[in-house]
Amino acid sequence: TDLTMVAPEIRPRLERLCEFLACTVPYPQDIHRIGIESSELQKNPAQQPEVTTMYATIHNYAPFPQAWPALQLSLLDAQEKLIASRIFTAQNYLQEMDKSLPFIQPHQEIEVRLDFASDQVNALGYRLLLLYP
């Protein structure tokens, strides 16, 4: 993994070598080089009052591909106390066309949309974090 961070162009050769040795070359997970550009929670009470949608833009600032991070969404009450929290994996938040990619490209931005049931939770705020569990 460290070699692919320093010289991303050697990944294909390392992967071919690992096919022979029965190993894998994981993608880097440098959480300090990936960030949330923007995020927003929206409710649509007229159409689906029990559903909340979270929109976010994730950006990979690294000059190398990275593994998809997980998203931790924490819902807060009026006093900013935690009332619910959930971790979403890339398979939860990626669009269908992106699910086959095991990584986010260097300097790539990706739009995220998560719909979740919120009829039992009266959240007034939220916190969104990226993490590698």
Side-chain angles (χ1 to χ4, degrees), residues 6 12 15 29 33 35-36 45 69-70 77 79 99 102 104-105 109 111 117 119 125 131-132:
V6 176
E15 288 174 339
Q29 297 181 358
R33 291 187 177 195
I36 299 170
D77 66 11
Q79 289 76 39
K99 286 186 179 182
I104 183 171
Q105 294 280 358
E109 275 191 3
E111 301 295 321
D119 54 334
L131 55 104
Y132 286 112

Side-chain angles (χ1 to χ4, degrees), residues 121-133:
V121 180
N122 189 20
L124 296 176
Y126 72 98
R127 202 173 307 128
L128 187 62
L129 300 172
L130 295 171
L131 55 104
Y132 286 112

Side-chain angles (χ1 to χ4, degrees), residues 1 4-5 11 25-31 33-35 58-60 62 64-71 89-90 93-94 101-106 108 110 130-133:
T1 302
T4 65
M5 291 171 69
R11 175 174 278 285
V25 182
Y27 284 91
Q29 297 181 358
D30 187 349
I31 202 68
R33 291 187 177 195
I34 199 160
I58 299 172
H59 187 107
N60 180 13
F64 47 82
Q66 292 203 71
W68 292 108
L71 289 171
T89 67
Y93 67 75
L94 289 176
L101 292 175
F103 57 86
I104 183 171
Q105 294 280 358
Q108 180 184 9
I110 186 138
L130 295 171
L131 55 104
Y132 286 112

Side-chain angles (χ1 to χ4, degrees), residues 50-66:
E50 71 283 355
V51 175
T52 297
T53 303
M54 194 274 307
Y55 298 95
T57 302
I58 299 172
H59 187 107
N60 180 13
Y61 295 100
F64 47 82
Q66 292 203 71

Side-chain angles (χ1 to χ4, degrees), residues 20-47:
F20 177 72
L21 298 173
C23 62
T24 60
V25 182
Y27 284 91
Q29 297 181 358
D30 187 349
I31 202 68
H32 301 294
R33 291 187 177 195
I34 199 160
I36 299 170
E37 290 294 307
S38 63
S39 67
E40 173 182 24
L41 274 185
Q42 287 185 355
K43 283 193 174 201
N44 190 343
Q47 291 187 339

Side-chain angles (χ1 to χ4, degrees), residues 88-107:
F88 296 92
T89 67
Q91 291 302 306
N92 299 125
Y93 67 75
L94 289 176
Q95 304 297 324
E96 284 303 317
M97 63 186 178
D98 296 322
K99 286 186 179 182
S100 62
L101 292 175
F103 57 86
I104 183 171
Q105 294 280 358
H107 306 291

